[in-house]
Amino acid sequence: MAKVLMKGNEAIGEAAVLAGCRYYFGYPITPQSELPAYLSKRLPQVDGVFVQAESEVAAINMVYGAGSAGARVMTSSSSPGISLKQEGISYIAGAEVPCLIVNVVRGGPGLGNIAPAQSDYWQATRGGGHGDYRTLVLAPNSVQEMADMTIEGFELADRFRNPVLLLSDGVLGQMMEPVNLPEPRDYDVNSKKWALGYPGKDKAERNLCSSIFLDVEELEEHNWHLYQKYQVMTDLFSEGQYKDFAVEEHLCDDAEIILVGYGIISRILKTVVEKCRKRGIKAGLLRPKVLWPFPTKAIQRLADKAANFLCVEMSCGQMVEDVKLAVNGKKPVYFFGRTGGTIPSDFEILNEVDKIVRPD
Amino acid sequence: MKQVFKRPESLSKTPFHYCPGCDHGVVHRLVGEAIDELELKNRAIGVAPVGCSVFAYDYFDFDFNQAPHGRAPAVATGIKRTRPDAIVFTYQGDGDLAAIGTAEIIHAANRGENITVIFINNAIYGMTGGQMAPTTLIGMKTATSPYGRDASTAGNPIRMSEIIATLESPAYVTRVAVNNPANLMKAKKAIYNAFKLQKEGKGFSFVEVVSICPTNWGKKPADSHKWLAENMLPVFPPGTFKDVHGVEKA
């Protein structure tokens, strides 16, 4: 297909349709509004279902219902709305129902503002709701990746029977870039043997989607089962099949300072790296493309070579904790952040690099 | 020998865990009978709530989802939209449906989702230990209204059937009780009607069953049914508030 110019939010919508998603449940909130608007037009054209729910809470529970019935299903929102969805996400994770959840992050806490931010990192990577669970978190940095990761997100959700979170931000949602859209994929709603209403002859006596295990021993067993699944995911993303998908390294081999950033920040950091190199500073970029499982091992490897790490975020410092855990005291880890919807400039970051590598 | 009474096929063989005298077992049976009689067992998908009937999935012999507190109508919406041929119902108590899940039930009804809702109203939270519900009667003492429900601070019992019947979309809204054989037969018919309408694709059907909670009311089962007739039915009068397709006359 030829490249098309699209907004990030719309690219997610079209990619979802191409991935075979036919069910969307959501509630309006800025800055993700183009996504439900796009799908409200697009899904009926492919016999899909678009429901504008009465709340974020209802929307995520519609996702829970549809996902439990075998649908390839998604919802989207922005920060305050994602907070409301946490109850449902916890149930979905507990019941092991696949789905895609898009967060076009805006400034918080509270109502905050509608400008881009990365201040939902902790919520996204620590589970977010109650209980021992994890969501797989993908972090695109371009409109192309908004599309690609949407498609991959559905596949990963199905593979691991786990909710997948696409952690974007107000910039990526709103900006326009050329996108190469892939060929459409088929998805069969009757492809999951465990789903409610599965009609196949190989079905178990009956199917149940539930997250309640009243017996403490049963819940402990279930939680260890989830934990083992998360370990498998961690291994696949750090050393296995998804190793290259999980992280992007740019000029890290000889770098004395590694800049660490995800999402839209990584685009700015790439410029910073180039400017550093022109000025004789050996800088490299490490970009986690998957935030959970976090690319701990990739950072560990670099911690043996590089002298310093600088983590840059559009928050007061959240991912930096994971970077520090990975570096484990081997090298200094510095942080620079702007918050409240402010985007740091390459100039500001360059100043921070200077302070670290040329302190005098 | 001719068998004249048996367990409905739609019920599993798991014994009910409900308290002695509780109406849940009776209503489960009526749901099972309706689904059997309409030959819907192979298409049925239930949605269990949070509350005493959280384990409803253990007692029915078909696919089930266990929903978060109050969200059953939203979960049922997702299931029904994905599998339009399935017969999808929620089974919810008064705390679940009339308090924490008020938005979900009103909007599922207002969208006219082609699902069936069985609403058990016993004027109290059972599972959590007898707290005041939105349907608790004025003056009724509960764990969280020890001096009796006071309308000036806790409002009045909320009538969900009447509220839902004000909406244009629902096809069938009715209130029944199972406190005596005559009412039980009416309840059976109402539940049958509700599933029949869904089978025919005629839209949202809602059956409120005014019920007892002997344990948390602190009354014997027989006394509870007497108390229900004397105190609850005047506040929650049985009757049909909406029957767009005239299913009751058919």
Side-chain angles (χ1 to χ4, degrees):
Chain A
M1 258 192 247
K3 278 197 172 187
V4 283
L5 189 65
M6 290 188 102
K7 254 194 180 189
N9 285 334
E10 292 172 344
I12 292 173
E14 185 56 31
V17 170
L18 294 172
C21 169
R22 292 293 179 272
Y23 302 89
Y24 175 93
F25 305 93
Y27 185 85
I29 185 170
T30 310
Q32 60 87 57
S33 298
E34 294 83 2
L35 175 49
Y38 187 87
L39 286 173
S40 68
K41 195 164 155 190
R42 189 73 175 90
L43 280 171
Q45 296 169 354
V46 289
D47 297 325
V49 170
F50 171 90
V51 177
Q52 183 169 316
E54 60 271 29
S55 68
E56 304 290 3
V57 176
I60 192 69
N61 280 288
M62 290 172 189
V63 168
Y64 178 33
S68 72
R72 185 160 266 193
V73 58
M74 71 177 292
T75 186
S76 64
S77 190
S78 181
S79 310
I82 295 291
S83 293
L84 283 169
K85 289 185 196 292
Q86 293 303 334
E87 174 198 49
I89 297 172
S90 172
Y91 276 70
I92 288 168
E96 294 188 90
V97 170
C99 65
L100 183 74
I101 301 150
V102 176
N103 184 358
V104 184
V105 181
R106 59 187 250 183
L111 201 50
N113 61 26
I114 59 170
Q118 294 184 326
S119 41
D120 295 356
Y121 177 90
W122 282 335
Q123 185 195 53
T125 58
R126 265 59 181 168
H130 60 284
D132 261 341
Y133 77 92
R134 295 286 195 173
T135 53
L136 216 156
V137 185
L138 310 181
N141 80 347
S142 64
V143 176
Q144 181 66 54
E145 281 192 356
M146 294 280 256
D148 294 345
M149 287 188 175
T150 294
I151 293 166
E152 192 60 35
F154 281 114
E155 299 291 337
L156 291 167
D158 279 354
R159 173 166 182 181
F160 298 111
R161 281 190 64 177
N162 209 69
V164 171
L165 194 68
L166 191 74
L167 196 71
S168 149
D169 65 66
V171 175
L172 290 164
Q174 295 295 321
M175 74 183 188
M176 294 183 88
E177 283 185 314
V179 193
N180 227 328
L181 290 166
E183 291 301 311
R185 299 181 192 194
D186 285 330
Y187 174 77
D188 180 7
V189 78
N190 291 324
S191 62
K192 291 164 182 161
K193 263 202 293 193
W194 52 262
L196 308 183
Y198 173 74
K201 287 193 174 63
D202 52 345
K203 184 184 176 180
E205 219 161 83
R206 68 191 195 104
N207 288 338
L208 174 66
C209 270
S210 169
S211 62
I212 183 171
F213 299 87
L214 205 57
D215 186 299
V216 291
E217 283 157 10
E218 275 183 30
L219 181 57
E220 182 173 36
E221 192 186 322
H222 178 65
N223 284 349
W224 285 123
H225 155 73
L226 292 178
Y227 176 81
Q228 277 160 9
K229 181 173 82 173
Y230 303 147
Q231 283 304 113
V232 169
M233 289 156 75
T234 303
D235 291 345
L236 285 170
F237 280 87
S238 56
E239 296 291 343
Q241 183 186 347
Y242 300 108
K243 189 180 159 191
D244 295 333
F245 174 77
V247 64
E248 179 193 342
E249 290 182 31
H250 178 62
L251 303 177
C252 287
D253 285 345
D254 65 340
E256 54 184 304
I257 181 164
I258 304 285
L259 306 179
V260 189
Y262 71 94
I264 195 66
I265 285 290
S266 67
R267 305 266 296 257
I268 302 168
L269 293 183
K270 212 165 216 176
T271 306
V272 175
V273 166
E274 280 164 25
K275 288 190 174 172
C276 283
R277 292 268 167 180
K278 274 182 196 158
R279 294 166 58 176
I281 301 168
K282 286 181 179 171
L285 164 68
L286 182 128
R287 163 165 86 107
K289 293 162 73 179
V290 177
L291 301 180
W292 196 90
F294 191 71
T296 303
K297 290 204 170 152
I299 292 178
Q300 278 172 349
R301 281 189 288 271
L302 292 175
D304 290 329
K305 297 193 283 185
N308 295 294
F309 287 79
L310 172 62
C311 184
V312 183
E313 298 176 62
M314 293 194 300
S315 76
C316 297
Q318 299 192 5
M319 184 176 74
V320 64
E321 292 190 355
D322 284 336
V323 177
K324 282 182 179 170
L325 281 170
V327 172
N328 200 18
K330 275 187 186 169
K331 301 287 163 59
V333 176
Y334 300 89
F335 173 75
F336 179 71
R338 295 295 303 269
T339 180
T342 310
I343 305 167
S345 69
D346 54 349
F347 182 73
E348 282 177 288
I349 300 167
L350 209 49
N351 269 346
E352 293 302 310
V353 174
D354 270 343
K355 278 192 233 165
I356 295 163
V357 299
R358 294 170 177 168
D360 40 344
Chain B
M1 211 170 16
K2 190 185 167 198
Q3 190 175 22
V4 294
F5 190 80
K6 62 168 185 169
R7 196 177 186 83
E9 296 287 323
S10 287
L11 291 184
S12 71
K13 293 195 170 59
T14 309
F16 295 136
H17 71 276
Y18 299 115
C19 301
C22 175
D23 282 342
H24 271 311
V26 176
V27 182
H28 280 18
R29 184 183 168 88
L30 296 183
V31 170
E33 285 178 354
I35 291 172
D36 279 8
E37 286 163 23
L38 289 158
E39 297 179 343
L40 297 173
K41 185 183 173 230
N42 290 335
R43 292 160 60 190
I45 300 177
V47 183
V50 171
C52 288
S53 47
V54 65
F55 295 117
Y57 57 78
D58 269 342
Y59 310 127
F60 290 98
D61 191 26
F62 39 70
D63 291 0
F64 245 86
N65 179 304
Q66 198 292 307
H69 201 18
R71 321 298 176 216
V75 171
T77 297
I79 295 171
K80 186 72 177 186
R81 295 295 186 109
T82 304
R83 298 199 178 271
D85 293 333
I87 299 298
V88 182
F89 72 97
T90 71
Y91 187 103
Q92 304 174 255
D94 41 54
D96 195 81
L97 183 141
I100 198 165
T102 318
E104 284 78 7
I105 189 62
I106 294 286
H107 289 276
N110 195 45
R111 285 190 304 269
E113 296 293 341
N114 191 27
I115 61 172
T116 298
V117 174
I118 308 296
F119 168 41
I120 306 297
N121 173 8
N122 59 8
I124 206 157
Y125 283 77
M127 176 74 100
T128 44
Q131 292 84 1
M132 183 182 71
T135 47
T136 293
L137 303 186
I138 296 301
M140 193 171 160
K141 288 181 180 171
T142 71
T144 51
S145 60
Y147 308 109
R149 183 176 185 168
D150 177 356
S152 71
T153 54
N156 286 283
I158 193 163
R159 295 183 183 92
M160 291 307 293
S161 288
E162 285 85 338
I163 290 173
I164 289 166
T166 64
L167 304 170
E168 282 187 35
S169 308
Y172 185 52
V173 182
T174 190
R175 181 186 289 126
V176 294
V178 290
N179 61 315
N180 60 40
N183 279 346
L184 190 139
M185 293 315 287
K186 283 182 200 162
K188 180 181 159 104
K189 188 67 186 156
I191 291 170
Y192 178 91
N193 287 341
F195 281 102
K196 182 167 179 277
L197 285 166
Q198 184 180 167
K199 185 184 180 184
E200 292 166 0
K202 288 184 173 157
F204 185 84
S205 52
F206 183 90
V207 181
E208 175 176 347
V209 186
V210 184
S211 306
I212 60 170
C213 181
T215 300
N216 288 303
W217 287 6
K219 291 179 169 57
K220 291 175 183 169
D223 293 343
S224 295
H225 277 135
K226 191 163 174 276
W227 193 86
L228 175 144
E230 289 167 1
N231 297 280
M232 282 196 61
L233 295 186
V235 179
F236 300 107
T240 294
F241 303 93
K242 199 156 198 213
D243 182 7
V244 173
H245 302 284
V247 69
E248 291 192 346
K249 293 188 189 93

